[in-house]
Structures are given as C-alpha cells and as structure tokens.
Amino acid sequence: KPYAQVVHASGVHLQQLEALACLLSVSLSLCLGFVHDTRHNLQLRGLVVLLISKAAGPSRMNASCQDYDVVSGIYSCQRSLAEITELIHTALLVHRGIVDLSELQSSDGPLKDMQFGNKIAILSGDFLLANACNGLALLQNNKVVELIASALKDLVQGVYQENSTSGKENHITEHIGISTWKEHTFLTDGALLAKSCQAAMELAKHDTEVQDMAFQYGKHMAISHKINSDLQPFIKEKTSDSMTFNLNSAPVVLHQEFLGRDLWIKQIGEAQEKGRLNYAKLRETIKAGKGVTSAIDLCRYHGNKALAALESFPPSEARSALENIVFAVTRFS
C-alpha cells in the first residue's frame, strides 16, 4: 500500500508498480558496488571510509568497546557509515540521470518514456536517500549526523551552482578561476568523502587531530581524483574527434587563466563551426598550452597533501592501500 500511494502521488499508473519495484531493486544493487562507468567501479568512497577506519584502528578511549570487530579491524558502525556514504553517492548519480525534457529531440525517443524515466529516477534516488537517513539515525551519534547532513548540503549547493551556470546562454565563456573551481569541486566531489572519513574517526572516538587528518586525506584525495578524471580527454592516446569535455574542467580553467579572458573567448570563437563548437580543434589548442601540464602538477600537489595526512596514521596494510590509491590517481606515465 505505501508503494501504491507513492506511485499514485507521482502520477505513475498502478500497473507500472512492478517496474518500479524492479528499479528499486536495481538501485539497491548499485549500492552494493555494481555502479560503473564502463571503465572503473565507482564504489571508491565506501572503500576509502573502510580503509581509513582500519588504518586508524580503535582509539584508546574506545579500545574496550564490544562493538569492535577484531577480524576486520573495523567497527560495525563504521561499516554502516561506509554503506551510508555509498547510498548517498549512488542517490546523487540516480538523480543526475534526470533528463531535461525541454532539450529532447525526436530521435531521443517518446516523450512519455522519458517522463516515466524521470519519475523513476526521482523515486529511486529518494528511496536511497531515505535509507541513508534511516541508517544515520541508527548510528545514534549527533556529530556524525551533523557531518553527513552538512555534506548533503554541500552536494546540493554544488549541483545548484552547476545548474545555475549551465543555464546561462553565455556559460561557455563564464570566467572561472582555479580557486573557484576548487571550491566548487570540494562541494560536489570532496565534501562527502572528506566528512565521511572524519565521521568514521568520530565513531571510533578518535581525537580532533586524527579526525582532521582523515578529513584532509578525503578532501585532497577527492580533488586529485577529480583532476585525474578531467585530464582523461587530454592525455588519452586514442581520443575520438567527437568526444566532448567539460569547459569548466581543471585543464580548461587553468588554460584560461594563463591566456586571459579575451584570448580565451577568441579561441572559443575560432573553434566554432556552423554554430557548433568543434571540441577536437579546441582540445588540440588547449593541449598546446600550459593548462594540461599545470593540471597534472595540481593533481600531484593534492595527492602529496593526501599522503602527508596519512603520515599521522601508524604503518599498516590499510594505510599502504590508501597510499596506493593516491599513487594510482597521480600516475600519468
């Protein structure tokens, strides 16, 4: 009955309830680590939370806690937190799958199918977020709830800023400096991981210094990972001419800073062909500048910051695994 009420309130016919249940089942599967972008699994956040929990181990204040799992070296509440982090991230991915119906073309398929897909994406994402909130409540830790709630706020703020910028007609020539890019990247990519790492330390009753080091690792690792992702269209040996890239990505933002706004607008104009942007031509122009090499340096800088934060943790296999994640992200040879 509750599902029927939700479906009816969303305008979905009851005959489609089975399809909705199937979608929700798929959404749960996504949270178990089956989300991928054809190249990489995307369960990185939960993995990092588990690894940093094991690397830190139990605090002296909480060493005698019966909740501590001696086999895996991780508190059960920390494992729950890792699951919650993945639930929130997956919910964001599902919600981002909503299609802007105003931009649909006849070749994209029937409008009714797209409308139904949007409703399913909204319901599925909300279902995952509801489960994440329920899991947070079960942790019974007000500071952890506050941390994850603030991470959710940061995510929403970052996506809102992103949508506000893309809604402008002249967003291609929007002036964004690298400091602004870092602030926005922390909101959309870094806040959830950084605050989840900090929350994991709070659950184990570690002091504020250890919590801050965990936060710094999550923050800088996430930024480094984002820069690596932004660099892929520019460093791949084989890149399709039709492959697009974000004009607000790190290499492009740095390229624009080196050039200056006027020259950047001129290059955008020169890359226009019949009213459409030729990404292949613009990519070669950017690669000829300093933006790509500067982005690689920036990626390694944040990677080194993440490694420095790990030095406060005792040597262990978990710490080595966290270091290897950074090495993988900052390796471009």
Side-chain angles (χ1 to χ4, degrees), residues 62-87:
N62 212 26
S64 61
C65 180
Q66 294 180 357
D67 192 33
Y68 189 70
D69 188 339
V70 179
V71 177
S72 64
I74 303 170
Y75 289 96
S76 61
C77 55
Q78 290 174 319
R79 291 197 297 269
S80 297
L81 176 64
E83 294 169 2
I84 290 167
T85 302
E86 279 303 323
L87 277 169

Side-chain angles (χ1 to χ4, degrees), residues 269 271-278:
Q272 296 278 350
E273 293 181 359
K274 297 180 180 180
R276 300 186 66 178
L277 187 62
N278 186 331

Side-chain angles (χ1 to χ4, degrees), residues 232-245:
Q232 293 308 307
F234 302 95
I235 61 176
K236 282 183 177 179
E237 294 182 1
K238 296 181 180 179
T239 304
S240 172
D241 290 341
S242 60
M243 182 180 181
T244 62
F245 53 88

